Amino acid sequence: MSTTWLSQDAYDRLQAELDELIAARPVIAAEINERREEGDLRENGGYHAAREEQAKQEHRISYLKELLRDAQVGEAPSADKVSPGMVVTIYFDDDKDDTETFLLGSREISATTDYTVYSPESALGKSILGASGGQTCTYTAPSGADIKVTVVAFEPFAG
């Protein structure tokens, strides 16, 4: 399993979000109870909406707890191969003018950067993990097309 690196600022922001969601649990529970008392649950849209909101919140809480528990806070170690936490530049299909620069890492960090963020678990991310400069990789896009990319450069994300 790859390590998720977060800056201290990103970690603190996600921890604050988690704390807010946990603090809001009694509010959504009270909403569900109020809606339950309105009558027939089969036709009670407010009740079902509140339950759906509760499910979304609980999923987010679970996700954030796991992410924060397993994340490494600080600067990702430098490496001689593409790894999570790096800013990567690639070009597509042997066209050196068709380049893209992005951050390979957790989408949670996208709020703290102007880079497009690709997950290491995405098709592109999986194909370039462990690649070195100048290496060509191929991945299958969601459309089913095989796409060839060449790694031009990579460096640790400075945050």
Side-chain angles (χ1 to χ4, degrees):
M1 185 173 155
S2 62
T3 301
T4 299
W5 287 91
L6 296 173
S7 67
Q8 186 65 53
D9 181 54
Y11 182 90
D12 293 344
R13 183 179 50 77
L14 293 171
Q15 183 64 55
E17 179 186 351
L18 176 60
D19 293 343
E20 286 178 28
L21 288 170
I22 290 171
R25 278 176 164 162
V27 174
I28 195 72
E31 176 75 14
I32 290 170
N33 284 335
E34 284 178 34
R35 299 298 177 196
R36 184 180 291 130
E37 292 174 6
E38 291 177 355
D40 187 0
L41 296 181
R42 290 175 292 174
E43 296 180 15
N44 188 333
Y47 171 79
H48 293 289
R51 292 286 302 201
E52 187 174 310
E53 183 61 30
Q54 181 187 41
K56 287 180 190 176
Q57 278 187 331
E58 290 302 320
H59 177 72
R60 182 70 177 164
I61 287 170
S62 176
Y63 173 78
L64 289 173
K65 281 182 175 180
E66 183 176 337
L67 176 69
L68 294 173
R69 181 186 65 237
D70 297 337
Q72 293 289 324
V73 178
E75 193 170 313
S78 61
D80 57 353
K81 298 193 180 294
V82 174
S83 62
M86 294 195 156
V87 175
V88 182
T89 301
I90 59 171
Y91 65 82
F92 294 91
D93 297 320
D94 298 323
D95 182 357
K96 293 183 180 183
D97 294 326
D98 186 10
T99 65
E100 182 175 4
T101 300
F102 56 89
L103 174 61
L104 185 64
S106 169
R107 292 198 182 267
E108 298 300 326
I109 201 165
S110 64
T112 65
T113 180
D114 290 333
Y115 287 110
T116 299
V117 179
Y118 290 106
S119 167
E121 289 80 32
S122 68
L124 172 59
K126 286 179 183 177
S127 73
I128 64 170
L129 273 176
S132 53
Q135 185 173 342
T136 299
C137 307
T138 303
Y139 70 96
T140 303
S143 66
D146 285 336
I147 299 176
K148 184 168 67 168
V149 298
T150 302
V151 176
V152 176
F154 53 92
E155 64 185 13
F157 177 57

